[in-house]
């Protein structure tokens, strides 16, 4: 079977050749040299203009990134720095980091933390530095543990699971989940708190569950739990995830805590009506 092939548009090389021949015929060698000089300097001008444009864009980006960093507290910047480095180390658990994994981290900051373009440039810089860093996960976690109390550690673990489950498919045997388990143990997150976080994201990755099942998972409880156990779990988690306890980390992490509180309140109100 014959295949139809589209015809290519002619290039401008022939036009330049004709122009050069006309210059040579009408003005001789001086005219040809003058034409070549004009073409050369015109091309040089456009190259310099292009370089200047990209340098200007790069300068503006770097300036915005620097301005944003300086507008935030040291605590906020250190928290994000350690978060990005830990996420990159998790991605490196299989000895390589794919473009998809990097895009997942960037997408997380853009979608879940609502970072604007300047903030995303900052995150990309941190990712680039993290990829070149030789700091071990243990060193990063030790630094995090020494700097931040229990509540920010919960937020960190929450964010880690958010990123892991941002992937299209997450198997129960995924090495990232094993690393998340190690991180929870290292940061001394209680088994109950870890279960409350992990089970919620695992449920989201499975087939649809009922609202009641989801509410039990939010509270980290079995479906046989009594209302007294529900009330106790709600009070404990509410104290740990209160936005005031993580507000110093930055507005975006305060919002993460607020979203968690909304989930807890929704679950508690459901069971309060059920057991009334």
């Amino acid at each position: 079977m014959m295949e139809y092939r589209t015809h290519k548009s002619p290039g401008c090389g022939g036009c330049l050749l004709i122009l050069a021949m006309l210059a040579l015929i009408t003005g001789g060698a001086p005219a040809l040299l003058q034409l070549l000089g004009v073409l050369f300097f015109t091309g040089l001008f456009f190259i310099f203009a292009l370089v200047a444009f990209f340098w200007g864009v790069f300068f503006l980006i770097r300036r915005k990134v620097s301005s944003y960093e300086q507008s935030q507290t040291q605590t906020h910047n250190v928290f994000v720095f350690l978060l990005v480095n830990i996420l990159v180390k998790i991605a490196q658990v299989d000895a390589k980091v794919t473009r998809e994994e990097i895009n997942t981290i960037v997408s997380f900051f853009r979608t879940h933390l609502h970072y604007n373009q300047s903030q995303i440039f900052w995150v990309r810089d941190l990712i680039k530095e993290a990829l070149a860093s030789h700091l071990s996960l243990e060193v990063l976690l030790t630094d995090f543990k020494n700097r931040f109390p229990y509540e920010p550690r919960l937020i960190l673990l929450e964010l880690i699971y958010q990123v892991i489950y941002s992937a299209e498919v997450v198997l129960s045997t995924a090495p990232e989940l094993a690393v998340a388990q190690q991180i929870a143990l290292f940061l001394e997150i209680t088994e109950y708190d870890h279960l409350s976080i992990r089970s919620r994201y695992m449920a989201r990755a499975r087939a649809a569950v009922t609202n009641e099942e989801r509410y039990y998972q939010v509270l980290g409880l079995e479906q046989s739990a009594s209302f007294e156990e529900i009330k106790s779990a709600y009070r404990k988690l509410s104290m740990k995830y209160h936005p005031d306890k993580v507000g110093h980390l930055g507005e975006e992490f305060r919002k993460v805590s607020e979203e968690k509180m909304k989930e807890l309140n929704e679950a508690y109100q459901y069971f309060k009506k059920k057991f009334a």
Side-chain angles (χ1 to χ4, degrees):
M1 184 179 294
M2 295 183 65
E3 181 182 355
Y4 177 79
R5 296 183 181 180
T6 57
H7 298 81
K8 297 181 180 179
S9 299
C12 63
C15 300
L16 291 175
L17 180 60
I18 292 172
L19 191 61
M21 290 176 65
L22 286 174
L24 183 62
I25 293 170
T26 57
L32 178 60
L33 291 175
Q34 186 176 8
L35 174 63
L36 293 176
V38 169
L39 292 175
F40 174 77
F41 284 107
T42 300
L44 201 59
F45 170 78
F46 279 112
I47 291 173
F48 281 137
L50 195 62
V51 171
F53 172 76
F54 282 109
W55 182 87
V57 170
F58 177 77
F59 174 80
L60 289 175
I61 291 172
R62 301 307 308 163
R63 188 169 183 177
K64 285 184 178 181
V65 169
S66 179
S67 297
Y68 173 73
E69 279 185 296
Q70 293 175 19
S71 70
Q72 301 300 305
T73 64
Q74 180 74 3
T75 301
H76 168 271
N77 291 343
V78 169
F79 186 89
V80 177
F81 168 81
L82 289 173
L83 170 61
V84 170
N85 274 266
I86 290 169
L87 292 177
V88 169
K89 291 300 177 186
I90 293 174
Q92 290 175 329
V93 68
D94 56 357
K96 63 179 181 179
V97 181
T98 65
R99 184 179 296 275
E100 288 73 18
E101 288 173 318
I102 296 299
N103 289 338
T104 297
I105 296 174
V106 173
S107 178
F108 161 74
F109 278 92
R110 181 183 289 113
T111 305
H112 294 277
L113 298 184
H114 309 291
Y115 271 28
N116 60 34
Q117 197 57 45
S118 296
Q119 292 168 304
I120 290 298
F121 282 129
W122 178 48
V123 169
R124 287 190 180 277
D125 272 356
L126 292 177
I127 291 174
K128 186 177 179 180
E129 293 171 6
L131 289 170
S133 173
H134 297 293
L135 293 175
S136 67
L137 180 59
E138 183 177 354
V139 169
L140 292 167
L141 291 174
T142 300
D143 192 11
F144 191 94
K145 187 176 178 181
N146 291 337
R147 288 175 181 271
F148 298 104
Y150 191 77
E151 290 78 14
R153 297 179 200 174
L154 281 179
I155 294 296
L156 174 70
L157 191 62
E158 185 90 22
L159 298 175
I160 287 172
Y161 274 103
Q162 277 191 19
V163 174
I164 290 175
Y165 280 97
S166 292
E168 292 185 5
V169 179
V170 180
L171 301 177
S172 59
T173 56
E176 291 84 359
L177 292 176
V179 177
Q181 172 74 32
Q182 295 170 10
I183 290 173
L185 290 172
F186 191 93
L187 295 179
E188 298 179 355
I189 304 295
T190 67
E191 176 113 4
Y192 169 75
D193 288 338
H194 185 201
L195 177 64
S196 174
I197 296 171
R198 183 182 59 194
S199 61
R200 190 168 71 259
Y201 288 100
M202 290 177 68
R204 290 178 184 178
R206 296 198 303 267
V209 296
T210 65
N211 280 339
E212 183 167 304
E213 289 173 326
R214 182 169 62 85
Y215 292 146
Y216 276 114
Q217 290 159 358
V218 166
L219 295 170
L221 296 172
E222 298 291 337
Q223 295 185 36
S224 58
S226 66
F227 183 63
E228 286 303 315
E229 291 174 314
I230 290 170
K231 188 188 298 184
S232 175
Y234 169 73
R235 287 174 177 171
K236 290 177 181 177
L237 290 172
S238 295
M239 291 178 63
K240 293 171 183 175
Y241 282 97
H242 196 284
D244 288 347
K245 293 194 174 183
V246 296
H248 63 292
L249 300 179
E251 186 60 27
E252 65 268 42
F253 301 111
R254 181 183 180 88
K255 289 180 180 178
V256 171
S257 187
E258 288 173 351
E259 288 298 317
K260 176 68 175 182
M261 283 299 301
K262 286 180 183 178
E263 286 186 328
L264 292 171
N265 288 329
E266 184 181 336
Y268 180 68
Q269 291 303 319
Y270 171 84
F271 290 120
K272 189 176 180 181
K273 290 180 181 179
K274 177 182 178 179
F275 288 95

